[in-house]
Structure formats: structure tokens, C-alpha cells
């Protein structure tokens, strides 16, 4: 069976229809169109799996001399999987969105753009889809971002992504193309230092939908358009990005910021996986997407229950009895991310490659990289719900409480079964990573249980973790909390030191550069110190020049 | 049929101006007559476009025998596209005058609109350099008068400044024609192509200066920013949409057509000049206040001029063709943005729908893929042989897009002001649709301009081969 061109274009078309319906405030039609988009993407996936890949040439866009650019569509297994993910994520994120119809329209438009990128055969149509996605992103930011400055930052990163990808049409047949595609993908997933737009887009469900569509687009672009490049450099850069963002997430007190930094770290990991093994990236995408949606739901529930409380770790605690399902969802996301069978399969495959390349340290490094982003996620899933209550709850109705034994069984199954499957099914070299992942999972599960057992504490508000620790003495739970406090203190110190330089991304770096330039200029007009700075700069310049002339190096 | 009808492109607007002048200020009648005459002009251009099947000489008569100048009109692919755009801009200018001008329309301004269009059509069709200089001066002075009549003090100052620049430009072009006539005994463009480079250098410099003022290029751009914010709406529309495009036309027809060897000789200076203009315009555009939409737009116009020169300086078919395509079609989104900026500035309106409209037109002007400007932009940047220059053009273009779109964040924050007037919303809707969708099939534009560009470049190749 051969896929019809209309079936190829149907999903983006339906998502565009959904956007139009949202903009026209016909919510029901928008929902129906989104559901049909999922159906269309599934039908296409089935047709491709039965009939094989499809490539359709639509028309010749432009022909000048011996150069020509064509417009066409393409769909294979990877494409179909990505298209299904776009349609599903668009629908799920709309469920979190509530009644924001125009913002919902922007999210559907972004998903339509992502769909167009995915089915595009060639840079030009992909660029059109990317521009649609970026325009929708900016539109959402212009209307929903907390400040005009935030919207402007989103625009900056949107234009940066477009600039990088349009460069692939300008510098055709050069190695620059791969780096430009990597840059585009890095901006779209929010890899450091291109991450600030993730936060600036806002906390709504529609913003989550746009972020997911952008991440899927970034992965798709890297999968489809990057010609072979030195993967090691890209992988190292993305691994560094993951490390910086995990550190940032661990250091932050703000729940939303933690979620965004984790999303960016996960995005970096997926991009790194694309460079090594695309199949692994495709497995990780739905896992990480589900994690982000779960976290967004949990945070939306907290915001709904406590509208006047700042969503910071120091201000939240003991929410488990009131929000058992959001807590369960957030915890499930952590387990899915670290211990589900696809996660273990993906992690062990990469660990295997790491083992083959660099022995045991390579495998361990890969395993650590994949466990790291789960720590801030576990923090998000545990801390607001465990420990003493630190606020006066303003929710009217409480969600049903989950029985302990059900939760315990679910957690145990989630932790042990996938680990066992990975252990038994994998080749011997996989066992190291599987053991590592299973061990990390057990630690997370135990931590969760210990914190859970502490249950709801006294209703009096407690100002900080440290005070709570001092008031209740020692114990296993308290020891864990003490570790948390220590981690928090170190993280906060690092945060204060590095914020605005590293975590501020490009704007932070630019601000620092401008300030440093201003300081230097001020010194150069400031008596003896000015002379000292000028002399120092002159000496450095002469040294650099002499090294260049003499052919020496550092 | 196109040969027979083409002179009507001069006669119809000229007759329209005379007819409107004869109405002696009866504004209601003038409004109706102007609408009818514009419809006739649109019909005429459409018929000529449909009947056009290649370059034609349409009129030849003696004019100034002492200088060897002739009344010579010809039409080719470039002039056909320029005429189409001028007609579209004429429609918008008349709508702006009749429906959007504060204080209502004026019969004098309607007359001046048609006078300016007559002169601009003549500039496009002329095959004689002195005739082109005369058309340049007439169009410039008519536009200056149109800009200043009924405008406030700022508008009158801007109009005076524009008039000074156009007089200087016309004198420079005339001087260039006189110098060339002294050398060859003719000012007909086809005769001038055989001139020796040595005797043409001064003339080329004068002509280049005049056209750089019209495009405009840094540092000959200072007349543009005051016009962006002051003067009558019809005058601004014609200057931003038509006058600057004529500069691009002149640069190809006279710069590349007459002095390809000098362009090669001066390389890479023209390329660097164009690139420096784009980069400078991008930086200054971002530095403008976000609320000052018109000034940002004026710097985007300067940047487009720089891109044009960078393309023409490439002296190969891809960048030159791209430069022409980019310069021709950008009049539509630019005029749309100008009208929207003017209306928002005067009414104080801000809301989400306006922000969307602004962002869409700005993205169109910024040559996003799919938009009508993208093919030309791509050909210029991808055709630039130097990777560093191509990278600079790429980054500067992205900065210009950012500078144009960023004000949408400000426009979206609020919901104040009256609704968009029906006439303006129709004009903007048509402009947005044309700008955003026409880029999906650019081949007709390419086919129309390519033979002329290749003919111009054949002269370049011949000049390169000459000892």
C-alpha cells in the first residue's frame, strides 16, 4: 500500500485547522481537529509500515541556470513516529491549557509547523515549517509572556534558529551546514546557552505544547538534514550542556525553572543520542515528552491548589495528602524516565557504545549522564509533597488519597521489573549500565518512600528546610533531608556565583561582556589605574603578537 | 499589441493629472475621477503584461538633436515588473489619499500623484539617459510637493530636504549624460554601451552617486528617515514603494548596463559598500526606539538598498537576478508596514490582532521562506562568492528582521484604540496574502527578469574580455 500525498499532508493540515478554530474561538472544532490529526498520523504510520517509505515530488520551486530547488514530501518510519508524537503532544498539552483559546491556537500552529518540517523533503519546505513554528512561538510569547523583555528574548532565539537553518541553503555542500543544523536543533531544544526562551515562553500548557513541538522539530532537523559530522565534538558539547543545566536545575529553588532546566538537559541528551544512535533518540523522545507533560500537570495542580503561594521549594511541603494524583504522576514520570523498559534499553545501548569506545569509564559516564537529569525531576516529584506543611492550603476540594500499599506496589513494580528485563535481555556489556540504572532507581524509590513515610507534618508553617531539620532532630528521613539541605546550600552558592554568566545564556554573556567593556573603558579614563590596565592590555597584546610571529603556542 | 499600448502608460496618467487639475478643486468629483483613472491604469498595465512577449522598442522620436538625445521608449522584462509594482503602489497611494489622509483628500495632491506616476513610468520606459534624468527630476519634485502640501511643519521640512536631494540627483544624472554625449555624440543607452572606460569614469561616478541617493545607500541616506515620520501619506507611500525601487532599476539599467567594466575594476568596493550599508542599517535599526516603527522601517529600507548593491556587485547572474527580484517586490510589504505604522502612531491603537498583522508583514519584508522576497534574498546571499561577506549579509538580514518584528511585543501588550479602518484593513489583507503566498511560486518573476539580466551580464563578459 502506498501512502497518498493527501495522507502525508493531512496531519499538519488538521493541526492548522485546529489552530484556525482556536483563533476563531471554536473550541470544540479545535479539539475534534486535533483528535483527527492523531488519527491521520496513525493511519500514515500504518501505511508506511505496510508499504514502506514514500517520497513525493510536488513541484520545482525555482530554477536558475543549473541550480534548482524542488518542493516535495517524504515519509518513512522515523518521520511517521515523529508525526504521531507531534499530534499526541499537541493534544495532551491542550488538555493542560484550559480556556486560553488564542494561546491554544498558537500551540496548534506550532505543531502544524513541526509537522511540516517532519514531512518536508528538502531544506526549503522544512524552513517554511520552521518559520511557522517560530512565528507561532513568538506570537504566543508576545501575548502570554510575563514581560515584553521575555517576549523579545523568545524572538531573539526564534530568529537565531531561523538564521542558522537558512544558512543551510546559503552554504550548500559545506561542512558548515552540519554545524548550522546542530545550532538550530540546540536552540529548538533549549540546550545551554540557548535555553532562556524555554522559561520566557511561560508556564501554561500551551507553552508546554510549543516547547515539545520545538524539541521534536529540532530532533527531526538533526536526524534529516545534518550531513555526517564529527560526532564526538557535538556529543561532548551537548553533554556539557546537559551537565550545566542539571547543575542549574539542582541549584534552583523555583519549581518551574527546575522543570525548564531539566527539559533543556533532556533535550541536550536527545540531540547527543541523535548523533550516536538515532533509534535511541526516538525512544527517548516520548519518555522525556511524557515527563515534561507530567511535571507540567503536577505544577498546574499545585498552582491551582495554592494560587497565592510562590512555587518555590522553600515555600512548599506536605502536599501529598491533598494532591496524591499529581504527586503520583510526577513520581511515575521519574520512574518512566529512569527505569521503564524503553529508557533502560536506550541507556544501555548508549552505555554499550560508550563501553566499546572508552571501556568502563565510558559506559559509566554515559550512565551518569542519563541519570543526572532525573535527580532534579525526583526533587520536583518529592519535595513539594513530602515533609511538613509550609503553607495555608487554599484549595477547596481535595483529590482522593492514594492508599499506601497501592503506591508501594506500583513503585516496586516500576523499579524492579524493567531493571530485571534489561538485565536479563541485554548482552553482557549492557549489564554495567543496567545495574547502574537499577541501582539509581532503587535509591530514588527508597528516598521517595522515606520521605513519603514522613507524611503530613504539623500544620504550622515552617520557613525553611534548615529550621525543620533543627526542630525535628535526626533520623533516616532527617539525614536525607540534611543531605538535601547541603546540596541546596552548595547549589545556591554556585547558583549565585554563576547565574547571569552561565545560566543566563547568550543574553547573560552579552550583559557580562558589555559590563566588562564598560569597566575597562572606565578604567582607561581613570588616572593611574587606567594606565595600569592599558599597560596590562598592551603587554598581553605584544605577547600574543610575538607568539604568533615566532610561531610558538601556548 | 503591447507596442501600441505602451505609450499610453505615459499618456494615461498624464491625461489623468490634467483632467483632475481641470476639476478646479471639486474634491467629490476628483475623488470619483481618480478612482476611475486608477482602475483604467490597472487595466492597461494588466493588458500590456498579458500581451508582453519580449523586449520591444515602442517609440522613437528626435528630442534634442544637438546632444544626440531622443524620445526613446522601450519595454523589457525588468521594466514590465517595475511597471506592475508602480501600478500597485499607485493604487495604494490613491487609497491612502482618499481614505486615510488626515483632513481628507486634496485635489492638488491627487494631481501630483498622477504627475509623479507619469514621470516614474517614463523613467522606467526611457531608453535615453537625458530623458531619464528629466524623468528623475520631475518625479522627485512632484513627490516632494506631494509630501509637503497640507503637511505639518515636520512634513514640509522633510519635503524641502527631499526636493534638494532630488534636484542634486537630477543634476548629477544630467551632467553624466552631458559628459557621455560629449564623448559619443549620443545619450541613447544602446549607443553608450560602446564608450571607452577612461572617458566614462567621471560620468559613472556622478551617475552612481545619483542612484545611490535614490536607493538609498549609506552615507547618502539621510533624507529617508525624516520622510518616514512626517509628510502626507500618499507622498510617503510613493517614495517608500516606488522611488526607492526606481533606484534599484536605475542601478541595473544604467550602472550595470553602461559601466560593467568599471564595476569589475572597482571590485570589491561595491560589494563592501553594499555589505557595510546592510550591517550599519541593521545595527542602527535595532538601536531605534521600539515605538518608533517608521524609523525602524526606514532603516530596513536602507538595508535593502545595501543588499541590492551587494547583489549587483556580484556581477553574476544569480546575485544580480536576486538583487532585482528582492528590490522589486519589497515595495508591497514596505508600504503596508508604513501605512500600519502611521495609523498606529496617529490613533494610538495597540492590540493582539495589530501585532499579528505587523509581525506577518515584517516577516514578509524580512524575506522569510515562503514570502515573496525570499527567492531574491536567497539568490543574492547564496550567490555571494565570499563566505564571510555572505555570513555578514545573513546575520545583518536576521538583525533587520528582529528589529522589524520586535515592536510586535509592544503592540500586543494592550487593547486600546479604534478598530482598523476598512480601507486600510483591505489593503493590508491583500498585501499580506500577496507577500506571504506569492513566494511559493517565484518562477514567473525569475523568468521575466532573467533574460534582461543575462543580456546585461553578457556586456560584462564582453567588457572583461576586452583588452
Amino acid at each position: 500500500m502506498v501512502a497518498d500525498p493527501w495522507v502525508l499532508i493531512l496531519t499538519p493540515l488538521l493541526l492548522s485547522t485546529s489552530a484556525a478554530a482556536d483563533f476563531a474561538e471554536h473550541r470544540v472544532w479545535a479539539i475534534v481537529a486535533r483528535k483527527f490529526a492523531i488519527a491521520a498520523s496513525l493511519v500514515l504510520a500504518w501505511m508506511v509500515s505496510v508499504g514502506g517509505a514514500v517520497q513525493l515530488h510536488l513541484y520545482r520551486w525555482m530554477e536558475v541556470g543549473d541550480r534548482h530547488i524542488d518542493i516535495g514530501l517524504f515519509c518513512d518510519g522515523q518521520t511517521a513516529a515523529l508525526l504521531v508524537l507531534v499530534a499526541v503532544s499537541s493534544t495532551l498539552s491542550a488538555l493542560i491549557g484550559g480556556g486560553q483559546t488564542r494561546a491554544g491556537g498558537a500551540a496548534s500552529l506550532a505543531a502544524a509547523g513541526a509537522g511540516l518540517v517532519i514531512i518536508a523533503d528538502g531544506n526549503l519546505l522544512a524552513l517554511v515549517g520552521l518559520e511557522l513554528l517560530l512565528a507561532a512561538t513568538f506570537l504566543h510569547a508576545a501575548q502570554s509572556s510575563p514581560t515584553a523583555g521575555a517576549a523579545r528574548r523568545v524572538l531573539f532565539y526564534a530568529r537565531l534558529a531561523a538564521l542558522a537553518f537558512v544558512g543551510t541553503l546559503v552554504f550548500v555542500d559545506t561542512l558548515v551546514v552540519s554545524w548550522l543544523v546542530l545550532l538550530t536543533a540546540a536552540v529548538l531544544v533549549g540546550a545551554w546557552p540557548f535555553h532562556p526562551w524555554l522559561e520566557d515562553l511561560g508556564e501554561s500548557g500551551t507553552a508546554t505544547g510549543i516547547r515539545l513541538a520545538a524539541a521534536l522539530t529540532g530532533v527531526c532537523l538533526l536526524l534529516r538534514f545534518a550531513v555526517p559530522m564529527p560526532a564526538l565534538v557535538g556529543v561532548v558539547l551537548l553533554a556539557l550542556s546537559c551537565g550545566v543545566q542539571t547543575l542549574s536545575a539542582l541549584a534552583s529553588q523555583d519549581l518551574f525553572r527546575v522543570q525548564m532546566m531539566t527539559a533543556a538537559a533532556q533535550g541536550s541528551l536527545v540531540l547527543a543520542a541523535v548523533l550516536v544512535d538515532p533509534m535511541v533518540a526516538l525512544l527517548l523522545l516520548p519518555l522525556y515528552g511524557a515527563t515534561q507533560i507530567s511535571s507540567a500537570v503536577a505544577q498546574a495542580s499545585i498552582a491551582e491548589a495554592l494560587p497565592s503561594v510562590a512555587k518555590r521549594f522553600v515555600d512548599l511541603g506536605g502536599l501529598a495528602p491533598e494532591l496524591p494524583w499529581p504527586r503520583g504522576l510526577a513520581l511515575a514520570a521519574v520512574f518512566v524516565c529512569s527505569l521503564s523498559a524503553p529508557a533502560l534499553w536506550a541507556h544501555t545501548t548508549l552505555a554499550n557504545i560508550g563501553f566499546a569506545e572508552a571501556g568502563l569509564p565510558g559506559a559509566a559516564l554515559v550512565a551518569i549522564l542519563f541519570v543526572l537529569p532525573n535527580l532534579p525531576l525526583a526533587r520536583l516529584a518529592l519535595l513539594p509533597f513530602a515533609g511538613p506543611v509550609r503553607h495555608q492550603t487554599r484549595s477547596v476540594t481535595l483529590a482522593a488519597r492514594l492508599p499506601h500499599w497501592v503506591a508501594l506496589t506500583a513503585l516496586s513494580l516500576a523499579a524492579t521489573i524493567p531493571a530485571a528485563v534489561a538485565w536479563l535481555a541485554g548482552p553482557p556489556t549492557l549489564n554495567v549500565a543496567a545495574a547502574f540504572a537499577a541501582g539509581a532507581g532503587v535509591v530514588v524509590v527508597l528516598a521517595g518512600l522515606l520521605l513519603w513515610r514522613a507524611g503530613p507534618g504539623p500544620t504550622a508553617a515552617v520557613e525553611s528546610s534548615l529550621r525543620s531539620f533543627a526542630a525535628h532532630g535526626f533520623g533516616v528521613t532527617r539525614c536525607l533531608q540534611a543531605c538535601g539541605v547541603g546540596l541546596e546550600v552548595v547549589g545556591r552558592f554556585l547558583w549565585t556565583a554563576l547565574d547571569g554568566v552561565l545560566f543566563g545564556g547568550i543574553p547573560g554573556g552579552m550583559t557580562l561582556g558589555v559590563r566588562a567593556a564598560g569597566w575597562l573603558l572606565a578604567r582607561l579614563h581613570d588616572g593611574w589605574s587606567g594606565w595600569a590596565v592599558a599597560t596590562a592590555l598592551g603587554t598581553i597584546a605584544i605577547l600574543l603578537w610575538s607568539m604568533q610571529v615566532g610561531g610558538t603556542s601556548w | 499589441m503591447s507596442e501600441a499600448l505602451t505609450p499610453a502608460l505615459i499618456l494615461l496618467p498624464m491625461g489623468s493629472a490634467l483632467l483632475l487639475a481641470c476639476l478646479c478643486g471639486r474634491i467629490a468629483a476628483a475623488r470619483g475621477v481618480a478612482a476611475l483613472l486608477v482602475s483604467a491604469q490597472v487595466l492597461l498595465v494588466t493588458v500590456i503584461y498579458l500581451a508582453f512577449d519580449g523586449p520591444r522598442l515602442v517609440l522613437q522620436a528626435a528630442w534634442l538633436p544637438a546632444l544626440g538625445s531622443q524620445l526613446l521608449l522601450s519595454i523589457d522584462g525588468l521594466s514590465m515588473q517595475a511597471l506592475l509594482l508602480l501600478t500597485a503602489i499607485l493604487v495604494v497611494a490613491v487609497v491612502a489619499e482618499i481614505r486615510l489622509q488626515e483632513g481628507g483628500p486634496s485635489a492638488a495632491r491627487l494631481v501630483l500623484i498622477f504627475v509623479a506616476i507619469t514621470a516614474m513610468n517614463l523613467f522606467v520606459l526611457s531608453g535615453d539617459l537625458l530623458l531619464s534624468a528629466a524623468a528623475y527630476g520631475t518625479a522627485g519634485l512632484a513627490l516632494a510637493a506631494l509630501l509637503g502640501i497640507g503637511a505639518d511643519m515636520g512634513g514640509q521640512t522633510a519635503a524641502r530636504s527631499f526636493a534638494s536631494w532630488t534636484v542634486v540627483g537630477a543634476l548629477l544624472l544630467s551632467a553624466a549624460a552631458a559628459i557621455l554625449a560629449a564623448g559619443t555624440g549620443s545619450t541613447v543607452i544602446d549607443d553608450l554601451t560602446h564608450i571607452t572606460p577612461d572617458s566614462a569614469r567621471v560620468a559613472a561616478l556622478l551617475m552612481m552617486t545619483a542612484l545611490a541617493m535614490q536607493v538609498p545607500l549609506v552615507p547618502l541616506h539621510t533624507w529617508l528617515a525624516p520622510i518616514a515620520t512626517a509628510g502626507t501619506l500618499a507622498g510617503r507611500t510613493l517614495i517608500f514603494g516606488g522611488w526607492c525601487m526606481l533606484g534599484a532599476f536605475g542601478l541595473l539599467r544604467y550602472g550595470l548596463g553602461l559601466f560593467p567594466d568599471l564595476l569589475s575594476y572597482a571590485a570589491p568596493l561595491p560589494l563592501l559598500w553594499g555589505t557595510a550599508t546592510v550591517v550599519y542599517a541593521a545595527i542602527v535599526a535595532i538601536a531605534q526606539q521600539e515605538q518608533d516603527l517608521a524609523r525602524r522601517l526606514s532603516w530596513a529600507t536602507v538595508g535593502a538598498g545595501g543588499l541590492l548593491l551587494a547583489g549587483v556587485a556580484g556581477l553574476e547572474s544569480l546575485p544580480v537576478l536576486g538583487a532585482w527580484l528582492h528590490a522589486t517586490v519589497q515595495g508591497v510589504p514596505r508600504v503596508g508596514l508604513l501605512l500600519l505604522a502611521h495609523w498606529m502612531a496617529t490613533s494610538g491603537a495597540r492590540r493582539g490582532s495589530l501585532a499579528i498583522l505587523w509581525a506577518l508583514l515584517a516577516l514578509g519584508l524580512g524575506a522569510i521562506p515562503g514570502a515573496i522576497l525570499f527567492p531574491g534574498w536567497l539568490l543574492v546571499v547564496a550567490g555571494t562568492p565570499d563566505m564571510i561577506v555572505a555570513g555578514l549579509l545573513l546575520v545583518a538580514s536576521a538583525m533587520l528582521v528582529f528589529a522589524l518584528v520586535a515592536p510586535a511585543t509592544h503592540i500586543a501588550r494592550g487593547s486600546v484604540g479604534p478598530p482598523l479602518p476598512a480601507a486600510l484593513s483591505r489593503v493590508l489583507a491583500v498585501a499580506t496574502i500577496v507577500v506571504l503566498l506569492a513566494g511559493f511560486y517565484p518562477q514567473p518573476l525569475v523568468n521575466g527578469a532573467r533574460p534582461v539580466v543575462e543580456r546585461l551580464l553578457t556586456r560584462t563578459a564582453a567588457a572583461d574580455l576586452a583588452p
Side-chain angles (χ1 to χ4, degrees):
Chain A
M1 178 180 290
V2 179
D4 194 76
W6 280 106
V7 182
L8 272 175
I9 198 74
L10 204 54
T11 306
L13 209 60
L14 283 165
L15 288 169
S16 309
T17 311
S18 153
D22 266 332
F23 283 127
E25 305 195 348
H26 294 302
R27 193 129 195 260
V28 177
W29 286 109
I31 292 168
V32 170
R34 274 195 288 269
K35 298 223 163 110
F36 272 110
I38 294 180
S41 64
L42 288 171
V43 167
L44 180 63
W46 175 70
M47 290 170 90
V48 168
S49 70
V50 173
V54 185
Q55 190 167 20
L56 292 165
H57 176 259
L58 293 181
Y59 67 95
R60 177 148 291 178
W61 179 68
M62 192 166 65
E63 184 173 16
V64 187
D66 57 347
R67 295 186 71 166
H68 57 83
I69 299 177
D70 293 326
I71 284 190
L73 304 174
F74 174 79
C75 188
D76 62 358
Q78 283 182 357
T79 309
L82 286 169
L83 208 55
V84 171
L85 285 177
V86 164
V88 170
S89 68
S90 167
T91 305
L92 286 179
S93 59
L95 295 178
I96 316 170
Q100 301 177 43
T101 47
R102 275 202 169 164
S108 296
L109 203 58
L116 201 56
V117 173
I118 289 166
I119 60 166
D121 184 21
N123 299 39
L124 182 70
L125 196 59
L127 197 46
V128 173
L130 180 65
E131 285 288 359
L132 195 60
L133 165 79
L134 296 174
T137 306
F138 172 64
L139 177 65
H140 186 280
Q143 292 189 328
S144 313
S145 287
T147 62
R152 221 172 287 126
R153 271 196 299 278
V154 172
L155 177 65
F156 171 79
Y157 285 101
R159 294 324 306 162
L160 183 63
L163 164 74
F165 197 63
V166 88
T168 61
L169 279 168
V170 174
F171 305 110
V172 187
D173 300 332
T174 60
L175 192 62
V176 181
V177 169
S178 294
W179 292 105
L180 287 172
V181 174
L182 184 62
L183 175 60
T184 312
V187 174
L188 288 173
V189 302
W192 181 86
F194 310 108
H195 61 281
W197 73 271
L198 295 177
E199 249 180 290
D200 291 330
L201 206 56
E203 299 185 34
S204 61
T206 50
T208 306
I210 290 176
R211 281 189 287 263
L212 288 175
L216 285 164
T217 308
V219 171
C220 174
L221 289 177
L222 200 58
L223 273 172
R224 297 274 302 280
F225 296 107
V227 292
M229 59 186 291
L232 184 64
V233 183
V235 168
V236 168
L237 287 176
L238 291 165
L240 276 176
S241 159
C242 172
V244 170
Q245 280 165 326
T246 307
L247 176 66
S248 168
L250 285 171
S252 179
Q253 283 295 311
D254 186 277
L255 268 69
F256 177 59
R257 191 171 172 78
V258 171
Q259 190 202 339
M260 287 305 96
M261 291 298 136
T262 314
Q266 290 178 331
S268 305
L269 285 181
V270 175
L271 289 190
V274 170
L275 294 175
V276 178
D277 186 344
M279 194 59 212
V280 170
L282 282 178
L283 272 178
L284 290 176
L285 265 174
L287 295 180
Y288 290 167
T291 311
Q292 290 303 316
I293 290 178
S294 306
S295 291
V297 169
Q299 289 197 40
S301 307
I302 294 174
E304 197 178 345
L306 307 167
S308 59
V309 176
K311 285 202 292 169
R312 293 165 55 81
F313 285 113
V314 289
D315 297 319
L316 295 171
L319 284 170
E322 293 163 30
L323 300 168
W325 281 111
R327 179 204 202 193
L329 200 61
L331 275 174
V334 179
F335 291 127
V336 161
C337 225
S338 50
L339 300 167
S340 67
L344 285 176
W345 190 90
H347 296 176
T348 45
T349 303
L350 290 179
N352 195 13
I353 293 171
F355 186 79
E357 294 290 329
L360 198 58
L365 193 65
V366 171
I368 289 170
L369 265 180
F370 280 93
V371 170
L372 268 181
N374 296 339
L375 297 180
L377 276 180
R379 195 168 166 232
L380 271 179
L382 294 173
L383 289 188
F385 301 96
V389 174
R390 297 176 181 166
H391 55 269
Q392 294 298 320
T393 303
R394 285 173 174 77
S395 58
V396 181
T397 53
L398 300 181
R401 184 167 180 165
L402 197 67
H404 278 189
W405 68 271
V406 175
L408 191 61
T409 312
L411 290 177
S412 306
L413 286 175
T416 51
I417 293 176
V421 168
W423 182 274
L424 293 172
T429 48
L430 294 184
N431 291 346
V432 177
F436 192 96
V442 170
V443 170
V444 171
V445 171
L446 284 177
L449 287 174
L450 286 168
L451 289 171
W452 193 346
R453 282 182 65 189
T459 51
V462 179
E463 286 178 7
S464 71
S465 309
L466 198 59
R467 185 170 294 180
S468 159
F469 171 67
H472 294 89
F474 290 89
V476 180
T477 311
R478 299 299 161 198
C479 283
L480 280 172
Q481 280 190 348
C483 292
V485 170
L487 193 64
E488 199 175 303
V489 169
V490 175
R492 281 175 75 84
F493 173 75
L494 286 173
W495 174 258
T496 310
L498 301 177
D499 190 24
V501 182
L502 281 177
F503 307 144
I506 291 178
M510 284 165 71
T511 308
L512 185 76
V514 169
R515 283 185 185 168
W519 181 84
L520 272 177
L521 286 174
R523 293 286 84 72
L524 286 172
H525 292 89
D526 183 22
W528 288 109
S529 58
W531 283 109
V533 171
T535 309
L537 287 177
T539 311
I540 292 167
I542 289 166
L543 278 174
L544 287 172
W545 175 75
S546 62
M547 278 196 308
Q548 195 181 5
V549 170
T552 55
S553 65
W554 294 106
Chain B
M1 189 169 67
S2 62
E3 300 99 272
L5 285 176
T6 306
L9 287 171
I10 311 294
L11 297 174
L12 179 64
M14 193 192 288
S16 307
L18 284 173
L19 184 61
L20 286 167
C22 291
L23 290 174
C24 302
R26 276 174 288 199
I27 193 62
R31 200 158 33 181
V33 170
L36 272 177
L37 293 170
V38 166
S39 308
Q41 179 82 6
V42 171
L43 190 66
L44 178 65
V45 171
T46 309
V47 170
I48 291 175
Y49 176 71
L50 293 176
F52 178 73
D53 55 356
R56 291 276 185 281
L57 179 68
V58 290
L59 182 71
Q60 188 168 20
W63 183 35
L64 295 170
L67 286 170
S69 300
Q70 295 182 19
L71 195 60
L72 188 73
L73 301 184
S74 61
I75 189 165
D76 60 15
L78 286 193
S79 43
M80 193 65 248
Q81 290 180 357
L83 286 169
L84 280 174
L85 184 86
L86 280 177
T87 307
I89 300 298
L90 167 70
V91 174
V92 178
V94 171
V95 170
E97 174 61 28
I98 292 176
R99 299 278 181 191
L100 304 172
Q101 178 65 43
E102 294 92 21
S106 139
R109 283 199 297 264
L110 284 171
V111 171
L112 284 168
I113 288 174
F114 282 97
V115 171
I117 283 293
T118 307
M120 288 201 270
N121 283 354
L122 186 61
F123 185 85
V124 167
L125 293 172
S126 165
D128 184 281
L129 189 56
L130 198 61
L131 188 62
S132 297
Y136 180 106
T138 311
L141 287 176
L143 287 173
L146 177 61
L147 197 67
I149 290 180
D152 57 9
M153 192 58 77
Q156 288 174 15
T157 308
R160 273 196 296 274
S161 158
F162 182 70
S164 315
W165 281 90
T166 51
V167 166
V168 172
L171 287 176
L172 290 174
L173 268 185
S174 308
I179 291 170
L180 293 172
T184 60
S186 170
T187 55
V188 175
I189 291 165
D190 287 339
D191 298 339
L192 296 177
T193 52
H194 309 299
I195 193 167
T196 54
D198 288 340
S199 56
R201 274 185 192 147
V202 177
L205 193 65
L206 296 177
M207 195 181 292
M208 187 64 203
T209 310
L211 295 172
M213 282 157 53
Q214 195 178 11
V215 167
L217 295 169
V218 170
L220 304 169
H221 64 282
T222 51
W223 57 269
L224 191 65
I227 290 173
T229 50
T232 60
L233 208 46
R236 283 194 266 170
T237 303
L238 282 175
I239 289 171
F240 270 78
W243 180 253
C244 298
M245 186 272 290
L246 286 191
F249 181 84
L251 204 59
L252 254 75
R253 174 60 52 84
Y254 306 123
L256 190 61
L258 294 180
F259 310 111
D261 45 350
L262 289 178
L263 269 175
S264 297
Y265 174 74
L269 274 183
L271 179 66
L272 295 181
W273 186 8
T275 309
T277 297
V278 183
V279 172
Y280 180 76
I283 293 169
V284 182
I286 284 185
Q288 301 299 313
Q289 280 193 348
E290 209 164 76
Q291 288 87 344
D292 204 343
L293 304 173
R295 273 189 189 273
R296 287 197 170 209
L297 187 60
S298 73
W299 282 107
T301 308
V302 175
L307 198 71
L308 169 81
L309 182 60
V312 171
L315 291 176
E316 285 179 16
S317 67
L318 282 188
V320 174
L321 181 62
W324 169 247
L325 293 180
H326 187 258
T328 324
V329 292
Q330 66 178 279
V332 178
R334 195 191 287 161
V335 162
L337 284 172
L338 183 78
L339 293 180
L340 190 56
H342 170 81
W343 184 76
M344 285 193 286
T346 50
S347 68
R350 277 187 296 149
R351 70 179 73 90
S353 56
L354 291 176
I356 293 172
L357 200 53
W358 176 269
L360 286 178
L361 278 169
L363 286 170
L365 186 60
I368 60 157
I372 193 168
L373 271 83
F374 182 68
W377 179 90
L378 181 65
L379 289 177
V380 172
V381 181
T384 303
D386 191 324
M387 272 185 79
I388 294 175
V389 173
L392 276 175
L393 290 176
L394 189 67
V395 173
S397 302
M399 284 169 70
L400 277 172
V401 179
F402 179 85
L404 277 177
V405 180
T409 57
H410 174 74
I411 301 168
R413 280 166 200 281
S415 183
V416 292
L420 208 58
L424 182 57
S425 60
R426 278 187 215 118
V427 167
L428 292 178
V430 171
T432 310
I433 290 168
V434 168
V435 167
L436 291 183
L437 295 183
F440 281 100
Y441 192 58
Q443 198 61 44
L445 277 175
V446 173
N447 292 342
R450 195 176 152 201
V452 187
V453 168
E454 284 179 351
R455 201 176 70 238
L456 291 172
L457 289 168
T458 314
R459 291 177 185 171
T460 314
D464 283 344
L465 291 173

